[in-house]
Amino acid sequence: MDILTSLMGGFAVAVTPLNLALAVFGCFAGTLIGALPGLGPVNGVAILIPVAFAMDLEPGSALIMLSCIYYGCMYGGRISSIMLNIPGDEPAIMTTLDGYPMAQRGQAAKALGISAVASFTGATFATLGLTFFAPLLAKAAIHFGPADYFALYVMAFATIGGVTGVNPFKTLLAAVLGLLLASVGLDPATGTARFTFGSFHLYDGFDPIVAIVGLFAVSEIIMYFESHATSGAGPVKLGRALPRLREMFEGYGAALRGSVIGFICGVLPGAGASLGAFVSYSTEKQLSDKDGTFGTGDPRGIAAPEAGNNAASGGALIPMLTLGVPGSGTTAVMLALLVSLNIQPGPLLFERQPDLVWGLIAALYLANVVLLVLNIPMVGIFTRLLSLPQWLLMPIVVMVSFIGIYSISHSTFDLFVMIGFGILGYGLRKLDFSLVPVVLGLLLGADMENNLRRALSISGGEFGILLQSPIALVIYGFTALMLVFSFGIAMRQRPGAR
């Protein structure tokens, strides 16, 4: 009852005219920012922090606005993934696998509707978890050590072959390439430059956002010029402008399962929405892909990662508020904002400033409803993008990609890196390699290496520490079961393939 009483007090804070207007503004602005390739929630929140200071907002109001921008960016990231095969941010990569094939079949409205409902499901589940289980889950997450995180990343790479559905050998090579790219930069332990070839621009390694936009957007443009520029191909068939109600709830079971998995990943500090989307998709593929339809436009392949990344985003707020430890890059930016406002997140925050915490939680409930109501009618606008001629649409994609990347660091070097990754992506696609393992290796490689180093530092170089934790052993056991299950399905499908 104390929780419900506090939540009612939070709603009294959230529905004040100013906070309600800030929530709606944050949802709308976040959706637009998330739809732009390259920006994503981290940059979206960072870009609009000066707006919060310029408006001289109270700390609670500023946090409500930025949190709604955060949620809106996670919603918006699916738009370019489905419509153009260009992820708006890292977690939206998994949505391209089934979302873009559906758009190519004239089912863009259906795909956008499914993703909107799945995003609402995942974000609402995470907000419920934030309401009722924040202290409990934060205590559980703090028991994860470096060896446990390393096991989590091993599971991600061990099951990567089941996600892409292409040649396992090529999948492994692509993942290794991603890990090699992740090693570029300064060694985290010694500070030695690795594979920088004397360029100080590479001391920080490759920015994942720059790599993603290059691999997907630039390579897509090159593929277009090769296959369509001379053929005079027309626009993709449009299909319905708005989805039917029953179509939006296809794959709802996958959305519920993805919500649970994504929320758990979000609670783990540092795991983030990328891992939540990936694990949600790979688990759903193992459980549900009996006919090999994932990767060809299966609604469950949209619902699972969309619910997973939105649930992970909400879950990432838990360690930030209860432990003062950011659960993702975006919450790290929000943590910096709170510290600058002389607010110290941690276990005592719920007691010392309950209006701020519960007002934020109540605003997140409202934000989920606003985003669902806002996004469903806008599906018709987004689907109209496909009716544009390709010769007009592609220059717009190029312009948005270059502006988005340049706005992050204001570095022309990043533009050349993006072009380089675009050429690499084009070559890999011509050789029938999936780009997803490359990106996942680049995203997770640094964290995997850092956790391995920490574990070995604790044990004095003994690799046995990787198998001493009960949590790690459970993760390794689950990984083995998933591998056996996937190999069993592959063996059963092989006679039919022949």
Side-chain angles (χ1 to χ4, degrees):
M1 290 300 293
D2 290 340
I3 291 178
L4 294 178
T5 302
S6 300
L7 185 60
M8 289 299 103
F11 273 107
V13 174
V15 297
T16 58
L18 175 62
N19 289 340
L20 196 58
L22 290 173
V24 174
F25 167 76
C27 291
F28 182 74
T31 301
L32 294 181
I33 291 172
L36 297 175
L39 288 181
V42 177
N43 296 295
V45 172
I47 288 170
L48 292 176
I49 279 181
V51 176
F53 282 106
M55 295 174 67
D56 196 22
L57 297 174
E58 293 291 327
S61 299
L63 193 59
I64 286 173
M65 184 184 77
L66 295 178
S67 298
C68 291
I69 292 170
Y70 182 24
Y71 268 32
C73 286
M74 300 310 297
Y75 269 71
R78 78 196 194 281
I79 296 169
S80 57
S81 300
I82 292 172
M83 306 301 296
L84 303 172
N85 198 31
I86 303 171
D89 56 0
E90 296 102 319
I93 294 168
M94 308 311 297
T95 308
T96 63
L97 296 178
D98 286 277
Y100 187 63
M102 288 185 69
Q104 291 296 98
R105 296 203 304 260
Q107 297 178 325
K110 178 180 176 180
L112 289 169
I114 291 171
S115 66
V117 172
S119 298
F120 173 80
T121 303
T124 302
F125 185 90
T127 310
L128 287 170
L130 181 62
T131 303
F132 294 100
F133 304 113
L136 179 63
L137 288 171
K139 290 178 182 178
I142 203 172
H143 292 293
F144 269 68
D148 306 316
Y149 279 110
F150 180 77
L152 202 61
Y153 291 120
V154 168
M155 182 183 73
F157 284 106
T159 56
I160 197 172
V163 172
T164 57
V166 297
N167 187 318
F169 182 67
K170 290 185 175 182
T171 300
L172 180 61
L173 284 178
V176 170
L177 175 61
L179 289 172
L180 289 174
L181 292 172
S183 67
V184 174
L186 297 179
D187 185 289
T190 64
T192 303
R194 302 184 303 192
F195 310 114
T196 60
F197 303 102
S199 173
F200 70 91
H201 292 289
L202 295 177
Y203 279 12
D204 291 330
F206 294 115
D207 189 322
I209 290 293
V210 176
I212 287 170
V213 175
L215 285 171
F216 285 88
V218 177
S219 70
E220 183 74 22
I221 293 165
I222 298 175
M223 292 290 289
Y224 161 74
F225 281 122
E226 181 189 49
S227 60
H228 296 296
T230 58
S231 63
V236 177
K237 59 181 180 180
L238 190 59
R240 290 177 57 86
L242 290 173
R244 296 185 177 92
L245 184 62
R246 59 178 176 81
E247 289 179 339
M248 293 190 295
F249 287 90
E250 288 188 26
Y252 196 69
L256 291 175
R257 290 185 288 271
S259 298
V260 176
I261 295 170
F263 182 61
I264 294 172
C265 290
V267 171
L268 303 175
S274 299
L275 189 64
F278 172 77
V279 176
S280 298
Y281 185 93
S282 58
T283 303
E284 189 62 33
K285 190 176 192 299
Q286 298 289 343
L287 293 175
S288 306
D289 192 19
K290 302 296 189 298
D291 302 321
T293 56
F294 273 55
T296 62
D298 193 309
R300 296 168 296 184
I302 299 175
E306 281 299 304
N309 72 50
N310 280 273
S313 302
L317 292 171
I318 291 179
M320 184 197 78
L321 293 174
T322 59
L323 299 176
V325 178
S328 66
T330 311
T331 52
V333 175
M334 295 171 66
L335 179 64
L337 170 70
L338 291 178
V339 172
S340 67
L341 294 172
N342 296 319
I343 297 172
Q344 184 58 51
L348 299 179
L349 183 62
F350 281 77
E351 298 179 8
R352 292 177 177 174
Q353 293 178 295
D355 288 347
L356 183 146
V357 177
W358 290 106
L360 168 63
I361 294 174
L364 293 179
Y365 282 106
L366 298 177
N368 288 331
V369 177
V370 169
L371 283 166
L372 185 65
V373 173
L374 183 69
N375 277 262
I376 295 299
M378 291 178 69
V379 165
I381 300 174
F382 297 138
T383 54
R384 294 295 173 187
L385 290 174
L386 286 180
S387 65
L388 294 175
Q390 294 288 341
W391 59 266
L392 177 62
L393 187 59
M394 283 302 164
I396 295 175
V397 172
V398 173
M399 179 187 68
V400 170
S401 299
F402 274 78
I403 291 175
I405 293 302
Y406 188 76
S407 66
I408 296 175
S409 61
H410 301 287
S411 169
T412 54
F413 181 79
D414 283 345
L415 298 180
F416 289 111
V417 170
M418 179 185 71
I419 295 171
F421 271 103
I423 296 172
L424 173 64
Y426 169 75
L428 291 174
R429 292 172 71 167
K430 293 295 289 183
L431 295 172
D432 200 25
F433 279 81
S434 173
L435 301 180
V436 173
V438 180
V439 175
L440 289 173
L442 185 61
L443 281 175
L444 306 181
D447 290 331
M448 187 177 186
E449 179 188 2
N450 289 335
N451 282 290
L452 176 61
R453 285 179 177 273
R454 290 174 190 147
L456 294 179
S457 298
I458 293 172
S459 66
E462 292 292 333
F463 281 88
I465 191 174
L466 300 177
L467 300 173
Q468 292 177 0
S469 167
I471 298 175
L473 291 176
V474 170
I475 294 173
Y476 286 132
F478 182 69
T479 303
L481 287 175
M482 291 184 69
L483 288 174
V484 170
F485 185 71
S486 61
F487 275 113
I489 292 178
M491 293 299 292
R492 287 198 300 269
Q493 291 178 344
R494 184 171 297 175
R498 286 177 182 172

